[in-house]
Each structure stands twice: as C-alpha cells, then as structure tokens.
Amino acid sequence: MTNSLSIPRDKADGRASRLFPALPVMAVAAGLSVAGNYFAQPLLGLLRVELGMTTTAAGLTVAAAQVGYAVGLGLLVPLGDRYARRGLAATLLAATGLLLALAGTVPTGWLLLAATGLAAVTSVGAQVLVPFAAELAPPHRRARDIGIVMAGVLAGGLIGRAVSGVLAELAGWRAVYWVTAVLLLVVAAVVWRVLPGGGGDRGEATRPLRLWRSTAALLVDLPALRRPITTAALAMASFTVHLTAVTLLLADSPYEWTPAAIGLVGLIGVVGPLAMPLAGRLVDRGHPRAVLVTGLLLAAAGWTVMLPAQNGGIAWLLVGLVLLNAGQTAVLNASQTTAYELRPHARSRINAVFMTLFFAGGAVGGALVPMVWASAHWTGACLLGVGLVALGLLTALAPRRRG
C-alpha cells in the first residue's frame, strides 16, 4: 500500500522517506510526545518514597501535566499556521525529550513537578503533527491519515501508563524518563529528515500576537466550528466519566479488584487507536455525519450495556467499554476532520481551539463523577454518561442555519 505522506523533498530525502514512511513516523512521534504526560500516574507511590514527596505533591505531577498541556495548546499549537510545521514539530519533540531527561535527574519532588509541567507544554508537538497530516494528505485520504496520527496520540496515553510501571519496576522510575527522552530525540531527528518542509513564515497577517488573537476569536468568526467542537466536547465528557466510574465500581463490592487488575481493564482502550483509521476511511468516503451519529449511538449503547455491571456482570462491562471506545473514536475523527475543512489555512489554530475545549469537556465530565457517585453510584454514572452523549446527539442533529 502506498503511503500518502511519503513525500520526498530531494533525492536524499526520497531515500529517507522510502525507509521511514512519513505517516507512521508522525503517529509514533505523536504517541511518544504525549506519553510522558501519563508517566506519573502509576509512579506516585515510588515518587513519594524516593523523592520524599507528600501525597498531595505527588498528585500534583499529574495535574501539572494537564495544565501544561493546556498552556501548550493555546500558545504553541497556533504557531503551526505561521512557521513550517516540520521544524516546529521537530523542535517541540526535541524540547520534550530534553525536559524529560531533566525530569529523570532531579533531586527533589518540586523540581520534578516543574520539569514535567514544562515537558507537558512542549508535548503539544503531537497536536502540530495532526493538522500537518491534514495538510499533506490528499482529500480522499485526509480523514484516514488524520485518524492514523490521532491513533498514535491515543496509543501514547495507553502505553505511557502501562509501560512506565513495568519499566520502573525493572530499572527504577528515572529510567522511564531517560528512555523516553532518548527515543524522542531520535524521533525528532527522523521527523526533520523525513517530513516535507514548506510553509515557513507566512507573513504579517499571521504574526504570533495576531495568531493568538485570531485563535481566541475563532468561535465568533467561524460559527460553523461550534457544532463539531461542542459535539466532541460532550462526547469526551461522557467518555471521561467512565475512567473514574469504572475504577470506583471495580474497587468496590462485589468485585473488590486490585489496582493492577483494574489497570488491565483499561487496556480495552486499545480499541480506540485500532478503530480510528477505519472511522477515517468512512469519513473519506463522504459520510462524516453518519460516522458522527453512529459514534454517538455506539457510546450511548455502551453505557446502556454496562448498566447491569453493578451486580457483578463483568461481561456486560467489557462489551460496553468496547462500544464506548469505538464510539468515542468515531466521534473524534468525524468532528476533527469536519472542523479542519472549515478553514484549511488555519488548521493549527482550529486544532488549538478544538483540543482545548475537547479536553475541557473531559475535565467537566471527570468533575461530575464524584458528585453523582455519592448519591447514585454506578447507576448515576451510567445515566450521566448517557445524558452527555444525548446532548451531543442533539447538537449533531440540530437543524443547520444557513449562512
């Protein structure tokens, strides 16, 4: 199969492209870029012991990654509409590698907090690569190629959580950061070598301050952008509900599973990265609205199927998680591709707004779980998940205004 993003710039780069097809390189780079944001989650116990961190301080390393990522989305991702995305992505990947290497050498918990927070800011190189894939792909393969790079982003989060715990047991928690740092520096060099250049300074109209102002104004200037972003954010809010609720369910009676066993259930999330290219192919065939609605219906079905799990029906839980992950993947790909097509020359800015509100939706969903769980437990969580999906479905199916 020919890779649509293997675009040689000259003879030497042509040889490099044949050895390293551009699309897989972008997917791997995107996954490695975000993986570091999830390392601390399974390492909190080790960090408390080895760096003398309090439980609160150790927990803040996870929060710092989330805050840093949000800052990077707002400040760095829009720059892809002014500067050549290849150079910007390679620079951010290398910076993330160096900051993770620093995180692996720090003597105190607060320095680790600072290093991981800064690494999270530059880890948005992944979100520079996604609109880059959209720019390079031919129209008939655009959604598929976006889906492959986004699959790398999703896989990076899964692998980051899974591998960090295993590697820390084998070689210590510092090795987790050092190994990833080396891999990122190598991938940064490959990205610079393999991906096409182009772009560059795009003139007075897109100076950084103007870029940031225009990014902030996109939802006003481009009303059609509100629908795909709102739909995706509501779907993400629903999806995030299960991340907390499933843990609470399996830790309580009748399951009373260990944290390790609960973590294995999270591997079902691999359905998302695997399904992303398939969703992209269907979008490329001219069915973005059908893919979007189908994804929302799958997510709603997933929550409905999982409802009996509170009485020990683990099979219902597993089937529901598969449906939920597949549905979320379809919603994300269809919404993201639709948003990019609204203003092709502003894809980086659109991606900054899209992803900021997408993750904001997830934060809202996560914040609602403890309140619902306190009064209605698993049943309440399932109803909350379905309700958020229903709001997304209403948004997606609402009549479109002309103009």
Side-chain angles (χ1 to χ4, degrees), residues 3-377:
N3 190 293
S4 64
L5 299 189
S6 294
I7 305 174
R9 294 183 303 279
D10 53 35
K11 291 182 179 179
D13 284 353
R15 289 193 296 271
S17 291
R18 286 193 293 273
L19 290 172
F20 300 101
L23 193 57
V25 166
M26 295 171 85
V28 171
L32 280 172
S33 182
V34 301
N37 296 338
Y38 300 91
F39 285 163
Q41 292 180 5
L43 303 179
L44 296 181
L46 284 173
L47 297 178
R48 284 185 301 175
V49 173
E50 298 198 18
L51 293 180
M53 301 177 75
T54 64
T55 300
T56 301
L60 283 176
T61 57
V62 177
Q66 295 172 339
V67 172
Y69 198 72
V71 171
L73 284 172
L75 293 182
L76 299 179
V77 173
L79 298 179
D81 286 336
R82 171 177 170 85
Y83 302 107
R85 292 190 178 109
R86 179 190 63 162
L88 181 60
T91 300
L92 292 175
L93 289 166
T96 305
L98 293 173
L99 287 166
L100 288 179
L102 176 63
T105 63
V106 295
T108 68
W110 292 111
L111 287 176
L112 176 66
L113 188 67
T116 54
L118 289 172
V121 174
T122 58
S123 71
V124 297
Q127 297 303 334
V128 173
L129 290 169
V130 177
F132 195 11
E135 176 186 336
L136 297 178
H140 69 281
R141 294 179 59 163
R142 184 163 290 138
R144 170 188 171 273
D145 289 357
I146 291 170
I148 290 174
V149 179
M150 278 303 300
V153 176
L154 298 178
L158 287 171
I159 294 170
R161 282 188 291 264
V163 172
S164 62
V166 174
L167 187 56
E169 286 190 15
L170 295 174
W173 69 268
R174 295 182 188 275
V176 177
Y177 291 93
W178 291 336
V179 169
T180 309
V182 172
L183 291 175
L184 275 168
L185 291 173
V186 171
V187 166
V190 174
V191 163
W192 177 259
R193 177 67 173 169
V194 171
L195 300 189
D201 191 331
R202 301 179 187 186
E204 175 74 21
T206 53
R207 283 184 176 176
L209 286 177
R210 233 176 246 215
L211 274 175
W212 293 324
R213 284 198 299 267
S214 65
T215 301
L218 268 175
L219 291 176
V220 176
D221 297 341
L222 197 58
L225 185 60
R226 299 170 197 164
R227 184 193 298 261
I229 287 181
T230 302
T231 304
L234 286 167
M236 183 59 178
S238 173
F239 184 78
T240 306
V241 168
H242 99 274
L243 297 177
T244 302
V246 168
T247 300
L248 295 172
L249 173 71
L250 296 178
D252 203 355
S253 178
Y255 296 98
E256 297 182 349
W257 285 13
T258 65
I262 294 172
L264 289 176
V265 173
L267 294 178
I268 291 177
V270 74
V271 170
L274 291 176
M276 185 68 84
L278 174 60
R281 286 192 182 95
L282 294 173
V283 172
D284 284 331
R285 291 175 183 171
H287 310 295
R289 187 175 175 84
V291 171
L292 178 65
V293 172
T294 300
L296 291 165
L297 292 175
L298 284 173
W303 279 114
T304 305
V305 167
M306 287 192 291
L307 190 57
Q310 63 185 336
N311 299 317
I314 188 63
W316 294 110
L317 180 68
L318 298 179
V319 171
L321 289 175
V322 170
L323 292 173
L324 186 60
N325 277 276
Q328 175 65 12
T329 293
V331 172
L332 177 56
N333 188 272
S335 300
Q336 205 169 18
T337 304
T338 300
Y340 287 165
E341 294 306 302
L342 295 174
R343 191 171 287 177
H345 68 275
R347 284 190 178 118
S348 288
R349 281 166 284 177
I350 286 174
N351 197 45
V353 175
F354 186 101
M355 282 299 166
T356 298
L357 296 179
F358 180 73
F359 285 113
V364 171
L368 291 173
V369 176
M371 295 182 284
V372 172
W373 192 270
S375 59
H377 299 281

